[in-house]
Structure formats: structure tokens, C-alpha cells
Amino acid sequence: MFLNGDNKYTDETTKLMALVRKKPLPVHVAIIMDGNGRWAKKRGLHRVAGHRQGVETLRDVIKTSDDLGIKHLTIFAFSTENWKRPVSEVNALIDLLVEYLRKEVMELHSKNVKIVILGCLDAFHPSVRREIERAVELTKDNSGLNINIALNYGGRAEIIRAVKNIIQDVNDKKISPDDIDEKLFSSYLYTANIPDPDLLIRTSGELRISNFLLYQIAYTELVFTQPDVLWPDFNKKTYLEAIVEYQNRQRRYGGINT
Ligand code: FPP
């Protein structure tokens, strides 16, 4: 890919790509794709134009993740709180997701990508659910990159759902209270069978978690981009830089370096 006909960008990303391959890569990258609205506003465009451009960024990030052999890419596409937005924006976001799945699911499938949904789909129109479930069903046996789409997802709601299901299973005598430990609790989350994120990236300079993967990010390395890197501005170079930053961190999990 060339930027303004200048091959400097290509050289730089090629070098970064080679650099990140030298050290252990994150197995699981989670992303809060923030700043679409601001990106659009800066250009005098409607917020939805920002989301549409955000899908282009997502496409590039998926490609880079796949090229690097990252196993899990989890994206915060729609939160339980996003329903508070104007109905036109909510509908536009849902339409974008459906359009994306309709257009790209076959190609993703051919690349061995598995699509997983984190969140409750009950709130969506049956036609939307059908499209999402079709993509999940089609790709469920794929063994390549897992794209975990957090949809109508909230970390607190996920934890409360897990607690209720555990209580139900205790009452039904399927498990005993003594069985409850971190491993069992994790298996009741939407992310059951998915390792915790190694790296969480948030674009646009906001220093918040916003109810994303609250339980899972206990030991995740957090990388926040500069405020001028809004999600549509995020690209292969900024993604690779975030991975380099992750690779330069010392992960101690509460222990000490030996
Ligand atoms: C945050 O930007 C972004 C979102 C709430 C939605 C992100 C969704 C997409 C990129 C499209 C989803 C589609 C697929 C295919 C998964 P913001 O609107 O909060 O930005 P702002 O903070 O500048 O207002």
C-alpha cells in the first residue's frame, strides 16, 4: 500500500512487520474502535460517514492480524450503552454490520476466519439476527483468525449473566458451590474458551475501558493511541506500533522479574 504515491509508508510498515515478527506476538488483541464521530465531524461529514470509514480500518486490521497469525481479534462493535444514541445512528451501525457480513463473510470463510459473537442478540431484529447467525454457523469450524465481535455487549451485564447462570446450575445440581473458581467462572462468560486479551488498544486518546471485557483484562497490556489517531486514522503502521509497544512491556502478572 502506498501513501500519496510515496513508498516510504510501505518501507516503514515492512520494517515494522519484520520487527514485530521477531518477538512473541499477542495471541489475543482486543480493540475499542473509538473516534469515528470525531473523524467525521472534523471533515464536516455525518457521523455515519465516520463509522463507514471505520469499517475500512477494520478491514485492514483484520488483514494485518491474519498476516501476523494473531489468533483472536476482539472488537467492540456495539455496546449495551450504544442504544442511547439517536435511533438513526443505531440503525446505521447495525446496517453497516449486516452489510459487512453480507459482502465479506464468504471471503472471510475462504481465509479460514471464524466469526464469534460476544453479547446478547435477542435485542436485534430477526433479519439482523439471521444474518449474524448465518456468518457464525458458516465459519464455526474454521481454525484461523477468530474475529470476536462484541455486539450489544457490556462487561457488567456479562458478569451478571454469568452469576445468574451459575446460580441456576447450582440450583439444578449441575455444579456445586465448591466448584466455583476463576476457571469455572470464565467458562460462563461470552468469552468461554477464548484466552484473555494480551493487548487492548483504544484509539482516539480516551483513557477509559468503557465496560469492555472487565473480567478478562485483569492482566492485559493497555495501549491508548494519541488523541489525533481516531479509529478511521488507525492503520497498519499504528497497529504495528501498538504491537511493538506491547512487546516492549514486561508482563509480571503480579510476580517479579527473575
Ligand atoms: C466509536 O466511535 C465507535 C463505535 C461506537 C462503533 C464502531 C463500529 C464500527 C467501526 C462499525 C461496526 C461494523 C462492523 C463491521 C463490526 P464514536 O462514534 O463513539 O466516536 P466519537 O467518540 O468520536 O463520537
Side-chain angles (χ1 to χ4, degrees):
M1 197 204 304
F2 294 97
L3 195 67
N4 300 329
D6 176 357
N7 69 1
K8 193 166 147 256
Y9 186 75
T10 312
D11 287 349
E12 216 174 330
T13 50
T14 307
K15 271 189 207 148
L16 273 169
M17 200 78 177
L19 185 71
V20 300
R21 285 188 202 276
K22 286 192 182 145
K23 286 192 182 174
L25 284 156
V27 172
H28 183 172
V29 177
I31 305 186
I32 302 176
M33 312 179 285
D34 197 12
N36 295 343
R38 277 163 283 167
W39 184 91
K41 194 171 172 208
K42 261 169 68 178
R43 288 161 179 78
L45 300 171
H46 194 275
R47 291 178 57 82
V48 175
H51 295 313
R52 188 166 281 284
Q53 195 59 37
V55 176
E56 295 303 316
T57 300
L58 179 59
R59 206 171 267 129
D60 287 348
V61 166
I62 290 172
K63 162 111 185 41
T64 304
S65 305
D66 195 32
D67 289 349
L68 286 173
I70 284 167
K71 186 66 192 164
H72 290 279
L73 177 68
T74 301
I75 50 166
F76 207 177
F78 193 87
S79 75
T80 42
E81 289 73 33
N82 284 154
W83 296 105
K84 292 181 202 154
R85 295 188 178 207
V87 71
S88 58
E89 184 171 339
V90 168
N91 287 337
L93 277 167
I94 296 168
D95 287 351
L96 270 177
L97 172 73
V98 169
E99 182 187 321
Y100 174 78
L101 290 177
R102 267 200 201 124
K103 272 202 211 151
E104 318 233 347
V105 75
M106 291 316 292
E107 194 189 333
L108 292 171
H109 183 46
S110 73
K111 289 185 173 155
N112 202 20
V113 168
K114 177 173 167 176
I115 293 170
V116 175
I117 301 295
L118 314 177
C120 177
L121 293 184
D122 293 352
F124 296 104
H125 189 274
S127 64
V128 173
R129 280 210 305 267
R130 249 194 320 276
E131 203 65 49
I132 297 167
E133 282 159 2
R134 195 176 77 93
V136 170
E137 179 62 25
L138 177 73
T139 62
K140 71 178 193 306
D141 296 322
N142 290 344
S143 57
L145 172 68
N146 283 30
I147 304 176
N148 309 308
I149 307 177
L151 207 56
N152 191 23
Y153 172 89
R156 289 181 174 179
E158 177 185 39
I159 291 169
I160 289 168
R161 172 182 173 272
V163 170
K164 284 184 175 167
N165 287 338
I166 289 172
I167 291 171
Q168 185 67 53
D169 283 354
V170 168
N171 288 344
D172 293 346
K173 308 257 182 295
K174 289 185 187 156
I175 55 169
S176 111
D178 290 341
D179 296 332
I180 302 170
D181 58 11
E182 291 181 13
K183 188 161 174 270
L184 180 124
F185 193 84
S186 296
S187 75
Y188 280 79
L189 297 173
Y190 289 119
T191 48
N193 303 318
I194 299 175
D196 289 342
D198 300 294
L199 167 63
L200 169 66
I201 301 167
R202 182 174 189 146
T203 54
S204 89
E206 303 286 355
L207 306 179
R208 282 191 294 279
I209 295 303
S210 300
N211 204 12
F212 193 38
L213 303 173
L214 294 181
Y215 187 86
Q216 297 88 338
I217 59 167
Y219 286 102
T220 299
E221 295 298 329
L222 310 179
V223 171
F224 299 97
T225 70
Q226 293 298 313
D228 61 338
V229 183
L230 305 171
W231 176 247
D233 303 310
F234 194 72
N235 55 30
K236 188 168 178 176
K237 179 170 172 281
T238 40
Y239 186 25
L240 292 172
E241 284 169 352
I243 295 176
V244 170
E245 183 167 340
Y246 160 83
Q247 289 175 323
N248 289 334
R249 303 261 179 99
Q250 284 184 346
R251 304 187 76 189
R252 292 193 291 275
Y253 300 95
I256 53 168
N257 288 334
T258 49

